Every structure is written in C-alpha cells, then in structure tokens.
Amino acid sequence: MRKPLVVGNWKMHGNLAANAKLLAALAEGWPSSKQADCVVCAPYPYLFQAQALLGSSDVRWGAQSLNAEGQGAFTGEVSGSMLRDFGCKYVIVGHSERRQLYGETNDAVAAKYAAALSHGLEPILCVGETLAQREAGHTEAVVAEQLDAVLLTVGPAGLSKGVLAYEPVWAIGTGKTASPAQAQAVHKFLRGKVAAADVDVANGLRILYGGSVKASNAETLFAQMDIDGGLVGGASLQWDEFLSICLAARPKAKVAS
C-alpha cells in the first residue's frame, strides 16, 4: 500500500502568533491514524516552534530546502544536520521557485536530494513544467530530465527513500489547477519512467500533486490512481482548509499496481 501524504509548504509566510494558532489547531484536529501522513514545511526560523507544538502529535514537520554541503563557510545556508536538530523528517528539494528564482539546476537539486538522504531526511523532489513548455508539448521531456538527474545520482534505491511531487509551474499560486485527468497522465508517466529502472520502487513511490490544491478539489485529485496526496501552498496557511485537504487523503491508500 502507498500511504497518502499531504505536505503544507508555507513558503515565506508566518509569524509566531499566527503559527501558534495554526499548529495547535492541526495538532488537535489531525486524528491519530496510520491511514495518511500530514506534514508542515515551515520557514527555518519557525522549525523550533513546529517541533515544540507538533512533537506530541501525529503531524510531522520539515523544511523547504537545504544546502548540499554538510557544513562550512556558506553564509545564510542551512545543512541537513541542522534540520535534524529540530526534528525534521522531510525537506523539499527542487521547488520551481528555487529553480526559477535562485537558479538551481537539475544537478544542484540532485546533490541536495543526496545530501538529504545522507542526513536521514526524506526529500520531496519537485518536478514540473512551465505553461510555455506544456503548450509546446514538452511536459514529459521536462519532468523526465528533472527526474533523471536524481536517478543518475542516487539510483532507484535512493529514490525509494524519498517522495516525488509533480507541480505544474503554471498552476502554482495562480488559482489554476491541472484537471484530474491532466495530473493523472503526468503522474502515470513519472511512475512508468521509474518502473523502467525498478518496478518495485515505482509501485511503492509516493507521487504528490502540487498546484493550487484546495479542499474543494482535493478529493477528486487524490482519487486518481497515481496521485498519492498533495503538496499544498497557500491553502496550508489556513488550518481548517489544510486539515480538510489532509483528511481528504485518508481513505485513498492505494495498492501498488
């Protein structure tokens, strides 16, 4: 069975007072259940708060990026070992905003993925295409290239220790959402590509959809055979909306095909 997973990416949002209310509500509202995983990826300064307020709950927490190096003269950067100090289980790598705004290449993302594994973190690898690339018919080629960089670095075994997230860039923060059929088609392609390297890894790999996921569309998206949960942006900043999305994933555990 692939256990569904919903990850909230706060991006550069939050403050101590608002975070406290959100985290407390999630900790109280998320049931003790093994049916799905609920995760919050907070900005670095608030990881201590997530650890303090979620530590006794079944909601897990993680970070939004990390440096590929373990330590050194890298002003402003954060290592995987630092994230582990704050109890992080997950870390996002290769988000489209990191690729577009900070010039992270496929090779750089692969190095971060490997670094996350070396520190006992579960990396959430983001792949996705722009609107121009989709309209040009290049979606599969783009996501394949992004995925290949990681497969070449850590192999199928390394991929099995992480999570894959398909996030069409044109649907992030725009209010536009890939239709369930569009999202499923790319997820199926990604799983098939992994299967070409290792069928067992492909069958067990959790692949999330990210792109304007809301409570109103979560259930329909999560019902797709190859969609195993969501990577949620803006909606994760509203505890009731995010909790509803997490709850929508619970009945959707899927048998590996």
Side-chain angles (χ1 to χ4, degrees), residues 30-206:
W30 181 244
S32 178
S33 170
K34 298 189 182 301
Q35 293 179 291
D37 290 325
C38 177
V39 177
V40 169
C41 287
Y44 297 138
Y46 301 128
L47 291 176
F48 80 98
Q49 190 181 29
Q51 183 180 36
L53 297 181
L54 297 177
S56 61
S57 77
D58 277 357
V59 181
R60 300 295 89 192
W61 59 95
Q64 299 169 18
S65 187
L66 80 166
N67 192 280
E69 300 295 332
Q71 62 179 5
F74 303 104
T75 300
E77 292 297 297
V78 173
S79 70
S81 62
M82 294 174 182
L83 301 182
R84 290 289 298 176
D85 277 346
F86 286 94
C88 290
K89 181 177 180 182
Y90 296 90
V91 61
I92 299 171
V93 298
H95 192 279
S96 62
E97 290 159 4
R98 299 295 311 178
R99 294 178 188 266
Q100 291 187 318
L101 299 178
Y102 301 102
E104 292 189 3
T105 65
N106 290 338
D107 288 343
V109 171
K112 288 190 172 192
Y113 189 103
L117 292 181
S118 72
H119 290 289
L121 297 163
E122 193 165 337
I124 301 166
L125 170 65
C126 298
V127 301
E129 83 285 10
T130 65
L131 181 60
Q133 289 167 334
R134 169 168 280 274
E135 291 179 341
H138 297 159
T139 294
E140 292 186 355
V142 171
V143 298
E145 185 177 12
Q146 293 168 339
L147 177 58
D148 278 342
V150 173
L151 274 172
L152 288 171
T153 300
V154 301
L159 193 65
S160 72
K161 298 175 183 177
V163 177
L164 187 56
Y166 167 57
E167 44 153 27
V169 180
W170 49 271
I172 298 173
T174 64
K176 298 178 181 179
T177 307
S179 70
Q182 287 176 316
Q184 164 60 22
V186 180
H187 281 236
K188 183 178 180 180
F189 169 77
L190 289 167
R191 199 177 302 283
K193 183 161 182 59
V194 177
D198 191 304
V199 172
D200 291 336
V201 169
N203 286 340
L205 181 65
R206 295 191 288 190

